[in-house]
Amino acid sequence: MPSLIPHQRTSARQAAEIAVPATRSAPAGPVAGAVLVEARTLTAPGGDRCALFALVLAMRRRAEDHSGHLEEVHFSDEGDRARTVSRWRSAEELRTFVEQAHDDLLDYRAGSGAFPTVERTLWWAPADTEVTAAEADRRAGHLRACGPGPYAFTLASPVPRPADRGVS
């Protein structure tokens, strides 16, 4: 799939508009069992805010159109980085999204001269529970300090979907 990054630079006004939360609502029909939660932080090397937010916008659009993406539950613009927390149907669906977004990363590199830093933390959560930004911070910190495990993991070190609803 081709890149979704526009070939002109994103203006400061457009970058500010990206900070508006995604309008996509929760999935039609209930999702039973555990869903995969992804906390993703994109950081611009050298602080190229306009290029970063063109990439963020492209990735948000790509996720909204992906069948495995359930919803975005948090977004924050933190200057030289952007944080997104989303729910996905499965690790396989998220992996497909990541592979499709590779063209967006290549366009970002062509425009800015560098790759962004991407930090991704994953965990399983019951579909019917709220996911908070604070929980995402705790799990990302745990992953950095202790490495992957059932509490927090990566696509390179996946943890199978739990069989029961009492997910940790």
Side-chain angles (χ1 to χ4, degrees):
M1 176 179 269
S3 171
L4 296 178
I5 294 180
H7 291 285
Q8 67 275 2
R9 304 278 298 176
T10 303
S11 71
R13 188 180 121 272
Q14 289 169 319
E17 289 172 359
I18 295 169
V20 176
T23 58
R24 185 168 187 195
S25 60
V31 176
V35 297
L36 185 68
V37 180
E38 174 204 24
R40 179 185 342 121
T41 301
L42 294 169
T43 306
D48 188 348
R49 181 178 171 82
C50 290
L52 176 69
F53 282 98
L55 174 61
V56 169
L57 180 59
M59 293 183 81
R60 290 176 87 189
R61 286 181 179 157
R62 188 176 297 281
E64 287 176 359
D65 291 340
H66 197 285
S67 62
H69 183 254
L70 298 173
E71 64 181 330
E72 181 178 290
V73 294
H74 294 287
F75 176 80
S76 63
D77 168 2
E78 300 176 4
D80 68 339
R81 67 184 185 158
R83 296 170 14 127
T84 305
V85 180
S86 297
R87 294 174 187 255
W88 292 85
R89 291 188 189 282
S90 69
E92 294 79 19
E93 294 279 3
L94 176 58
R95 185 177 305 282
T96 300
F97 163 79
V98 169
E99 290 168 358
Q100 291 172 349
H102 187 71
D103 287 339
D104 298 323
L105 292 171
L106 293 176
D107 272 0
Y108 173 91
R109 181 178 184 196
S112 71
F115 275 113
T117 301
V118 180
E119 180 184 55
R120 179 175 286 114
T121 303
L122 308 174
W123 68 94
W124 294 104
D128 58 355
T129 61
E130 179 183 4
V131 177
T132 66
E135 178 180 13
D137 289 342
R138 282 191 305 275
R139 289 183 186 258
H142 180 85
L143 180 61
R144 283 189 297 272
C146 302
Y151 186 74
F153 55 94
T154 68
L155 282 173
S157 59
V159 169
R161 180 188 311 269
D164 65 5
R165 292 189 50 114
V167 184
S168 60

